[in-house]
Amino acid sequence: MARPTTKQDLIAAADGQFEKLWKLIDSMPAEMQAASFAFEDRDKNLRDVLTHLHEWHLMVQRWHAEGTLRGGMPAVPGEGYTWKTLPALNAKIWERYQGVTLDEAKRMLRESHAMVMALVESHTNDELFARGVYKWTKTTTLGAYFISATASHYDWAMKKLKQHARMRQDLENTRVCFSRKFLLFL
């Protein structure tokens, strides 16, 4: 996926990757959607991945409100955090959503994606991709923040879910193979 450089490309990439993400999720049986990942990671299951994406949508909305609409300098990535301490921020996000169900996470993500896309739609191409338009974005562009919170993040999520599906399939194949070998000895 080429990195978007226009509003039209950003919308196409964000919505396209979002649609691919849901197709992947919908292709997973319910038990796989509910299952814990078979690999060690901060995110333990699909719900964790979806709430992570949702929270990053909320974060970019907050940055936009404070920096773009009010002309302030939002705490990016978060109050008390820097890009170097991002793992701690992501761990805090993980903790915040542990009481959320998978169905709630799905609903929240769909809603927050729509809100972010409405923000994207509200800007011109130059507002999204010209440098220096908004003081808070410093050396980058507003569009880059939206790309990171949408298309790029959806790509990250799909890789994680594909790894989950692949490992679940490998475990199932190993279990079936072991069962067959065991039956041969009986």
Side-chain angles (χ1 to χ4, degrees):
M1 174 183 77
R3 190 154 177 94
T5 57
T6 67
K7 177 180 176 176
Q8 182 179 352
D9 291 347
L10 169 54
I11 292 168
D15 282 340
Q17 291 300 93
F18 194 68
E19 186 176 320
K20 286 180 186 177
L21 174 62
W22 285 107
K23 282 182 180 177
L24 176 60
I25 292 167
D26 290 341
S27 74
M28 298 167 66
E31 62 274 2
M32 185 181 292
Q33 289 186 30
S36 295
F37 293 160
F39 51 90
E40 189 62 34
D41 194 57
R42 174 199 68 229
D43 300 310
K44 309 295 183 208
N45 51 47
L46 173 59
R47 188 245 4 247
D48 292 346
V49 171
L50 299 183
T51 56
H52 178 86
L53 295 173
H54 167 72
E55 181 61 26
W56 276 87
H57 287 164
L58 298 182
M59 289 165 56
V60 79
Q61 289 174 48
R62 285 192 297 270
W63 305 334
H64 180 271
E66 186 174 334
T68 305
L69 301 179
R70 294 193 290 272
M73 290 297 287
V76 176
E79 193 66 47
Y81 296 94
T82 66
W83 294 113
K84 289 182 180 179
T85 60
L86 201 55
L89 175 59
N90 285 331
K92 183 178 175 184
I93 291 168
W94 180 87
E95 289 173 12
R96 181 179 304 137
Y97 289 98
Q98 289 308 292
V100 171
T101 67
L102 177 57
D103 286 340
E104 289 171 323
K106 289 177 178 181
R107 179 191 51 76
M108 291 167 23
L109 181 59
R110 284 187 173 104
E111 290 173 2
S112 62
H113 171 79
M115 289 188 289
V116 169
M117 296 311 295
L119 291 178
V120 170
E121 290 280 0
S122 74
H123 287 279
T124 66
N125 194 67
D126 285 344
E127 289 170 337
L128 290 168
F129 289 100
R131 294 185 190 280
V133 175
Y134 301 105
K135 183 179 171 186
W136 76 271
T137 62
K138 299 177 182 166
T139 60
T140 192
T141 66
L142 180 60
Y145 283 93
F146 286 125
I147 292 164
S148 293
T150 60
S152 295
H153 233 147
Y154 303 154
D155 188 51
W156 162 84
M158 285 186 283
K159 288 176 184 171
K160 188 166 295 254
L161 297 180
K162 287 175 183 175
Q163 179 183 10
H164 170 54
R166 193 171 44 252
M167 291 188 80
R168 295 272 307 175
Q169 186 61 50
D170 289 349
L171 287 171
E172 180 61 22
N173 290 344
T174 301
R175 188 186 65 75
V176 168
C177 183
F178 178 77
S179 295
R180 286 181 183 152
K181 286 181 181 179
F182 180 75
L183 289 173
L184 288 175
F185 288 113
L186 291 179

